[in-house]
Amino acid sequence: MTSIVNKTPLSYRALQAMGSSVPSAYLSSFERLTGSPGDWFDDIVGTHLIDAKSLRADDFEAFYRNRTTRLLELVDREMGKVAVREGADDAHAG
């Protein structure tokens, strides 16, 4: 997926832990490797406007919808006006 909605800065260590696993698997692996509790990690990904529940459920559709909404709200707030939403709901479908 090349959408900005699916991008967030990650450390090299996090990328290595992820590999090609589904989110629920790499989250568990990352927590084990770092000794970090799940709620701490959920708070961290939340700072990137990511819903940890959708990651843990491997629910990409919910992740995409939620993050799209949150990013657009951020853009709206910073621009002081409503951002264009044309194609925002179906941009991930192709």
Side-chain angles (χ1 to χ4, degrees):
M1 160 90 38
T2 59
S3 171
I4 191 170
V5 173
N6 197 33
K7 306 295 181 204
T8 195
L10 296 171
S11 70
Y12 177 78
R13 184 176 181 187
L15 286 173
Q16 292 302 106
M18 286 172 54
S20 60
S21 302
V22 294
S24 61
Y26 71 70
L27 291 176
S28 294
S29 175
F30 187 73
E31 290 164 2
R32 251 189 338 275
L33 289 171
T34 63
S36 303
D39 57 343
W40 175 85
F41 191 77
D42 292 354
D43 290 344
I44 296 299
V45 298
T47 67
H48 293 276
L49 306 179
I50 295 172
D51 174 36
K53 288 180 186 175
S54 61
L55 286 182
R56 292 186 183 282
D58 299 323
D59 186 347
F60 182 74
E61 295 297 321
F63 160 82
Y64 192 92
R65 277 190 313 273
N66 180 278
R67 189 133 195 258
T68 297
T69 298
R70 294 175 78 182
L71 287 171
L72 285 170
E73 288 169 353
L74 178 66
V75 170
D76 291 348
R77 187 180 75 230
E78 295 303 316
M79 288 180 36
K81 61 182 180 178
V82 177
V84 174
R85 274 141 168 86
E86 182 179 328
D89 293 333
D90 59 3
H92 65 286

